[in-house]
Amino acid sequence: MGRPTSGIAWTAAIVGGMRYDLNHLHPYIWEVVIPGKEKSDKHPAVPERKIRVNVSFGLHCFARDPLPSERVSDDCWYQDNRERRVFCQIRWELSKQLPGIIATLAERRCMHTGREEFVTLEVPYQGRTLEYAVFFTVTKAGRADRADLNLFVNSAHERYDPLKYTKPIKFHFILLNRLQGKPIKPPPR
């Protein structure tokens, strides 16, 4: 991982006297290399492209809404500057895989939800395999971000209901379109 950049550097959660470190969700700059293409009869050569991406993670990666009629003790709450949610040990445990998942987005099935992109994959957890959905947005970065693009992981959690989105989008396509300010059309439902 690169050095920290803009975004929230989460402080550890202390729940029931246990410390849950969140350093793996600190923001960082990631340099993505999009391979070039050699000249062909139909297309000119395209040089390799390096894009600096500011990666950051949201509260929903390790916290959840309270369950109906759930009584939540004061030390189980975690909040940012927008909302307060219940710290979730399962989401926190699964979130440790997020930096590795982000690093391999070019090799994964990214899909469009109509508002943002996401990737879903099967991950092992406590002897079973579960479907883990990682919802992220990619936007153009401002000058202060020291990057070309921002990738914000809005939420990451186990899926219990089947996903409706099936048409994949290449991650490099997402990056290039966002960098050039081009829209990405959601697939028809």
Side-chain angles (χ1 to χ4, degrees), residues 107-189:
E107 302 155 24
R108 299 188 180 276
R109 272 179 64 98
C110 297
M111 291 170 271
H112 201 303
T113 65
R115 298 170 299 145
E116 59 198 345
E117 290 78 36
F118 71 93
V119 62
T120 184
L121 55 145
E122 292 180 347
V123 295
Y125 178 71
Q126 295 185 344
R128 65 184 177 102
T129 300
L130 55 88
E131 190 171 281
Y132 189 52
V134 180
F135 293 85
F136 64 92
T137 53
V138 177
T139 58
K140 205 158 188 164
R143 290 182 191 206
D145 293 316
R146 299 187 332 261
D148 302 303
L149 295 170
N150 294 313
L151 186 151
F152 181 69
V153 180
N154 301 295
S155 185
H157 53 82
E158 181 178 4
R159 292 295 301 197
Y160 299 102
D161 54 334
L163 295 166
K164 300 175 253 188
Y165 315 98
T166 57
K167 188 172 181 189
I169 307 169
K170 292 190 180 297
F171 182 64
H172 289 165
F173 177 80
I174 295 169
L175 294 182
L176 288 172
N177 276 18
R178 294 294 191 231
L179 192 61
Q180 296 167 6
K182 293 180 181 177
I184 301 171
K185 290 182 186 176
R189 289 194 187 197

Side-chain angles (χ1 to χ4, degrees), residues 50-68:
K50 292 182 181 176
I51 300 173
R52 290 175 52 85
V53 180
N54 173 26
V55 179
S56 58
F57 303 89
L59 178 64
H60 292 217
C61 294
F62 60 90
R64 61 173 174 77
D65 286 330
L67 302 172

Side-chain angles (χ1 to χ4, degrees), residues 53-114:
V53 180
N54 173 26
V55 179
S56 58
F57 303 89
L59 178 64
H60 292 217
C61 294
F62 60 90
R64 61 173 174 77
D65 286 330
L67 302 172
S69 71
E70 178 183 16
R71 296 182 67 136
V72 179
S73 65
D74 288 342
D75 70 337
C76 290
W77 291 99
Y78 197 104
Q79 69 183 53
D80 63 9
N81 60 350
R82 296 177 309 138
E83 64 182 321
R84 185 172 113 139
R85 293 173 60 91
V86 179
F87 178 81
C88 178
Q89 188 175 356
I90 295 170
R91 284 190 185 203
W92 170 78
E93 190 68 44
L94 291 169
S95 75
K96 293 177 189 177
Q97 298 182 51
L98 285 172
I101 290 168
I102 298 303
T104 58
L105 279 175
E107 302 155 24
R108 299 188 180 276
R109 272 179 64 98
C110 297
M111 291 170 271
H112 201 303
T113 65

